[in-house]
Amino acid sequence: MGYKIAVVGATGNVGREMLNILVEREFPYDEIAAVASSRSQGSEIEIGDTGKMLKVQNIEHFDFSGWDIALFAAGSGPTKEYAPKAAAAGCVVIDNSSLYRMDPDIPLIVPEVNPEAISGYSKRNIIANPNCSTAQMVVALKPLHDAATIKRVVVSTYQSVSGAGKGGMDELFEQSRAIFVGDPKENHVFTKQIAFNVIPHIDVFLDDGSTKEEWKMVVETKKILDSKIKLSATCVRVPVFVGHSESINIEFEKELSAKDAQKILRDAPGIMLVDKREDEGYVTPVECVGDGATFISRVREDPTVENGLNIWCVSDNLRKGAALNAVQIAELLGRKHLKKG
């Protein structure tokens, strides 16, 4: 007997990826429902590459009773309205929005990092999925923290436009086309031109001058990994369609050589080390698309601080940063608690 899974926001980038990954990973489901807003009601969407089509159901009329797990990829607004209803109906919600991440009664999970925290799901029947940039970073930090205890992290991100949804991807494409043909450039999703440019601004500005995206990385890392870690983030949008990159500087309490760090990372779950120190001996976002791994390159010691390392971290933000992590949470929930399939 398998699971009954509802994918909420199934017509968006992340929702479609969730459907793909459920098939790819052979998740033990008996039934899947594609759920979205009334605008998509009645349209059809394929489950992975199976050729099987699902008719999209209107979330306003969807009854979560009898469903085991709901993967929410619908944004904070719909989640705020419908996730509590799903949870009250006995369906465990795994939410990709930022709404519940810092709620002390709701676990924030990256399965490679803090799987034990998932037991807290029973308080509210809701589990939070972290920010895409946080997810890949903590996968990289966890084994290093276990080995040498991280004191401080300084991270600069290079985040793809898919992090802003289909509209962000469309804007990059249209602006690039406009530049080549000499048409006027327009920006609606981003605050400035994104084509052939970088924008040091993701989400709203806060009183201290940081952005909410940067704040998320700080507080989510503390909740998932270790509250004592000090972290400073600068988040930048770059003209890449899919794949987030991060330059991470780490200061440890104990000595950790680059060679030892490479060995630790090579053996760590969810990580692919590609660090040849030669032309093409590293991973860029173009190469990580469609892969579930968090790729690490450019591991090297930082001589300016005691016990310091630099690493380059790349991952498909639609997968490990969102859809894949949500499905991995569902797998963990099934193994540890629901035990069906």
Side-chain angles (χ1 to χ4, degrees):
M1 183 178 175
Y3 295 93
K4 293 181 67 176
I5 307 290
V7 177
V8 180
T11 57
N13 287 342
V14 174
R16 289 175 184 271
E17 203 65 28
M18 286 174 172
L19 291 171
N20 292 337
I21 292 169
L22 286 167
V23 172
E24 284 177 18
R25 294 177 69 87
E26 299 181 347
F27 189 89
Y29 63 84
D30 281 345
E31 187 176 353
I32 295 182
V35 184
S37 69
S38 58
R39 295 190 306 273
S40 301
Q41 183 178 1
S43 61
E44 291 192 332
I45 186 169
E46 186 178 8
I47 307 177
D49 294 322
T50 62
K52 182 180 178 182
M53 304 300 292
L54 290 175
K55 187 163 285 190
V56 178
Q57 302 182 54
N58 187 345
I59 192 171
E60 296 172 17
H61 308 132
F62 189 78
D63 183 1
F64 287 95
S65 300
W67 292 83
D68 297 300
I69 300 171
L71 303 177
F72 268 68
S76 294
T79 296
K80 185 176 183 179
E81 182 174 357
Y82 295 106
K85 294 178 181 178
C91 178
V92 182
V93 171
I94 300 172
D95 177 40
N96 194 59
S97 81
S98 62
L99 183 64
Y100 293 114
R101 290 175 186 159
M102 298 314 298
D103 188 315
D105 289 333
I106 292 176
L108 180 64
I109 301 295
V110 177
E112 299 94 333
V113 179
N114 62 336
E116 69 288 342
I118 200 170
S119 60
Y121 87 94
S122 58
K123 290 182 182 178
R124 300 272 293 278
N125 242 20
I126 299 173
I127 303 166
N129 208 19
N131 189 331
C132 48
S133 49
T134 304
Q136 69 185 70
M137 181 176 69
V138 295
V139 169
L141 295 181
K142 167 65 173 174
L144 300 176
H145 184 54
D146 288 346
T149 310
I150 294 171
K151 292 171 58 178
R152 180 172 182 261
V153 174
V154 180
V155 57
S156 296
T157 72
Y158 309 82
Q159 295 179 225
S160 66
V161 295
S162 57
K166 183 178 181 299
M169 298 176 77
D170 289 345
E171 186 151 300
L172 174 57
F173 178 83
E174 292 298 335
Q175 285 184 0
S176 300
R177 187 200 62 81
I179 289 170
F180 280 118
V181 302
D183 286 348
K185 303 180 295 295
E186 297 182 358
N187 48 285
H188 305 287
V189 175
F190 302 113
T191 54
K192 294 197 176 189
Q193 174 187 318
I194 185 59
F196 305 98
N197 197 19
V198 298
I199 305 173
H201 176 194
I202 301 177
D203 213 321
V204 297
F205 276 99
L206 305 178
D207 290 342
D208 66 354
S210 64
T211 65
K212 192 174 181 182
E213 183 82 357
E214 293 155 357
W215 173 83
K216 290 175 191 173
M217 292 193 74
V218 174
V219 296
E220 290 176 17
T221 299
K222 288 176 176 288
K223 182 174 180 178
I224 295 167
L225 188 56
D226 190 333
S227 62
K228 296 188 288 294
I229 292 175
K230 296 179 180 180
L231 192 144
S232 176
T234 301
C235 295
V236 182
R237 190 73 72 189
V238 297
V240 171
F241 283 106
V242 177
H244 286 358
S245 306
E246 298 173 347
S247 174
I248 309 173
N249 177 266
I250 313 163
E251 187 178 353
F252 299 92
E253 289 187 5
K254 305 170 188 174
E255 184 178 355
L256 183 63
S257 69
K259 185 176 181 180
D260 287 343
Q262 287 171 321
K263 184 180 186 307
I264 290 166
L265 292 165
R266 187 179 293 112
D267 296 337
I271 290 175
M272 181 69 70
L273 180 72
V274 181
D275 192 16
K276 297 181 180 178
R277 302 188 177 185
E278 61 187 36
D279 292 353
E280 301 184 22
Y282 45 83
V283 176
T284 64
V286 169
E287 291 136 3
C288 79
V289 176
D291 200 298
T294 296
F295 291 89
I296 304 297
S297 308
R298 304 293 320 280
V299 180
R300 61 205 188 279
E301 291 162 25
D302 175 6
T304 68
V305 296
E306 189 175 2
N307 306 329
L309 285 180
N310 289 301
I311 64 172
W312 174 251
C313 175
V314 179
S315 190
D316 183 330
N317 56 294
L318 298 180
R319 293 179 76 88
K320 185 55 189 172
L324 173 60
N325 199 71
V327 173
Q328 288 177 308
I329 292 171
E331 292 170 342
L332 178 64
L333 179 70
R335 288 195 306 273
K336 297 289 188 181
H337 299 282
L338 302 186
K339 297 184 179 178
K340 293 173 66 174

